[in-house]
Amino acid sequence: MIKPGWGATLKAVMSGRMLVALMMGFASGLPLLLTGSTMQAWLKESGVDLAMIGAAAMIGLPYTLKFLWAPIFDRYTLPLLGRRRGWLALSQLALVLALLGLSVSNPASSLWGVAFAALLVTFFSASQDIVIDAYRRESLSDQELGFGSAMFVNGYRVGMLLAGGGGLILADLLTFPKMYQLMALFMAVCILVTLFSPEPHEAAGSPRTLREAVIEPFLEFFKRPEAITVLAFILLYKLGDTLASAINVPFYLDLGFSKSEIGAIAKLFGFWATLIGGTLGGIWILRIGLYRSLWLFGFLQMASTFGFVLLAQVGHNIPMLTGVIAVENFTGGLGTAAFVGFMGAMTDRRFTATQYALLSSLMGVPRVILSTPTGWMAGEMGWTMFFLLCTVLAIPGLLMIRRFRHWTPHA
């Protein structure tokens, strides 16, 4: 691989395509917590039963099942704006209306009305995610995917921060309904980004029937000799890091840290460390390529997981907690940049929406399903042995990277 000069790297970093990736990441991250933790606070304030609040997590099901309707976005092109921007603008407009509908519902008098409006928000949000992922893959070159993915993730986290912490603050200053109306306004501004963004070129051989859009992406992917290896790698690459992160807050509390200490350090150092890690990771990928970045970032992720083992031995120590959170979030930003870039590069440009929806759904398995027994495991093994196990679980994913030494992105 020929390493690009710093001039070429800087040109890629400063391109308008990266700004679009950043803004689309913001649009994708904004709705997520509006039907998650922020809505939970609204339900709690309205006197909704705790069991019903817990059951409201099912509202997020469209994010897991989005691959079911993704083929529609590969097959059909709307009359205006093109195949990607047309669907994206329509999804965002529907999302604005769904948020406005949620803002006029009342949890105290009509919980099912709130649930239906929130389900519409998650459905149109998941639909927006499908098209944005496809747009990013098709508008960026293979060399730009790593940094473009990093910009997308950074924007995504800013959107989540606005909807999460910002949403709760705004609800305190205003009301929850007015806060949701303000968030709908932010989403409306995101439509402008879609309207002024260029439409990516449609790949030759794109599906011309719905049958082709549903069946061909699966056939194309599983005919590849590395198909099973790719799926296994997606499951394993961030497994140790994900399992460790799933249960870290109870771990901090067990060591005697207060909620204020955890929250302040996580927000002050964790959030910014993730943004810096993602940005530097994207630049690094431009310089040394995706294959070497996966190795380097995966090793750093494993080292950061071992930091939890050290913290378990040290106990209540603020500087140590700060270091562990900062390093874990920084390396997480690095690894996510390479990981998301890898998934994008593994999609065929003819079926980007469907294949990326499938891969990203698989990416969520460690977070949603495999993380379920982590509390039980930590209780049985103790914190030190649990985090040692998480560190060891990073090794299989690292070893699998060797299988991609001669790998090239799919056209």
Side-chain angles (χ1 to χ4, degrees):
M1 185 191 76
I2 301 175
K3 182 189 290 188
W6 277 107
T9 301
L10 185 62
K11 183 179 179 181
V13 168
M14 300 299 292
S15 73
R17 293 185 297 278
M18 300 306 167
L19 179 60
V20 170
L22 180 71
M23 294 302 297
M24 287 191 175
F26 174 83
S28 186
L30 183 67
L32 184 64
L33 295 185
L34 294 178
T35 54
S37 58
T38 302
M39 192 178 76
Q40 289 174 1
W42 187 23
L43 297 178
K44 179 67 175 175
E45 185 182 88
S46 302
V48 176
D49 178 72
L50 194 60
M52 292 300 293
I53 294 176
M58 291 298 293
I59 290 169
L61 202 58
Y63 291 114
T64 304
L65 301 177
K66 60 185 179 182
F67 64 89
L68 293 177
W69 65 93
I72 294 173
F73 302 128
D74 276 335
R75 164 62 185 94
Y76 296 106
T77 302
L78 297 180
L80 299 175
L81 301 178
R83 183 168 70 148
R84 296 309 179 202
R85 292 190 307 144
W87 282 114
L88 185 53
L90 182 61
S91 299
Q92 290 172 334
L93 177 60
L95 189 49
V96 170
L97 297 176
L99 285 170
L100 291 175
L102 184 58
S103 75
V104 298
S105 55
N106 189 337
S109 60
S110 178
L111 187 57
W112 287 108
V114 172
F116 179 70
L119 187 62
L120 288 178
V121 171
T122 58
F123 175 79
F124 292 123
S125 175
S127 300
Q128 176 191 230
D129 291 350
I130 294 169
V131 187
I132 286 178
D133 289 335
Y135 181 96
R136 187 175 67 255
R137 169 61 172 122
E138 294 169 6
S139 62
L140 299 176
S141 68
D142 295 327
Q143 291 72 27
E144 294 173 326
L145 271 175
F147 189 76
S149 298
M151 290 296 97
F152 168 81
V153 172
N154 284 352
Y156 192 93
R157 293 185 185 279
V158 172
M160 287 180 62
L161 182 66
L162 176 62
L168 293 176
I169 293 170
L170 287 170
D172 231 7
L173 295 174
L174 306 169
T175 61
F176 274 102
K178 290 187 182 301
M179 180 275 295
Y180 276 104
Q181 290 165 15
L182 188 57
M183 294 300 169
L185 179 61
F186 281 119
M187 277 306 311
V189 173
C190 293
I191 299 176
L192 296 177
V193 177
T194 300
L195 295 178
F196 287 102
S197 299
E199 174 71 12
H201 295 294
E202 185 174 338
S206 296
R208 292 290 174 246
T209 67
L210 187 57
R211 181 181 180 279
E212 287 181 8
V214 173
I215 296 175
E216 286 300 319
F218 294 91
L219 292 179
E220 190 281 329
F221 185 85
F222 285 102
K223 282 180 180 177
R224 303 178 197 174
E226 77 276 18
I228 302 301
T229 304
V230 169
L231 296 179
F233 178 71
I234 289 174
L235 279 173
L236 294 174
Y237 182 65
K238 288 182 72 68
L239 178 60
D241 176 68
T242 301
L243 295 184
S245 300
I247 200 73
N248 57 8
V249 173
F251 166 60
Y252 300 147
L253 292 171
D254 265 4
L255 294 183
F257 294 103
S258 70
K259 294 187 288 293
S260 297
E261 288 171 337
I262 298 168
I265 293 172
K267 295 298 182 186
L268 184 60
F269 292 96
F271 174 75
W272 292 107
T274 303
L275 292 189
I276 294 170
T279 303
L280 293 182
I283 295 174
W284 218 329
I285 294 168
L286 285 172
R287 298 293 298 159
I288 67 175
L290 196 53
Y291 174 75
R292 292 178 181 175
S293 297
L294 286 168
W295 266 113
L296 178 61
F297 301 165
F299 179 79
L300 291 176
Q301 280 182 163
M302 183 175 68
S304 73
T305 302
F306 187 73
F308 291 111
V309 178
L310 300 179
L311 181 59
Q313 298 302 305
V314 172
H316 188 279
N317 184 293
I318 294 294
M320 187 68 180
L321 176 67
T322 302
V324 167
I325 287 180
V327 171
E328 198 272 334
N329 281 267
F330 178 77
T331 58
L334 292 174
T336 300
F339 195 39
V340 174
F342 172 83
M343 287 198 302
M346 289 312 299
T347 61
D348 188 307
R349 289 181 184 270
R350 294 173 297 169
F351 320 110
T352 312
T354 303
Q355 288 186 347
Y356 198 98
L358 281 167
L359 296 180
S360 60
S361 295
L362 186 64
M363 177 186 176
V365 169
R367 175 176 53 84
V368 177
I369 298 175
L370 300 183
S371 294
T372 302
T374 51
W376 172 81
M377 292 166 62
E380 292 293 315
M381 303 170 65
W383 288 116
T384 299
M385 290 304 299
F386 171 72
F387 287 120
L388 274 174
L389 175 63
C390 291
T391 303
V392 172
L393 287 175
I395 296 176
L398 280 173
L399 295 178
M400 290 191 71
I401 300 175
R402 294 180 302 171
R403 302 286 297 271
F404 304 114
R405 177 181 295 276
H406 303 295
W407 159 84
T408 55
H410 286 262

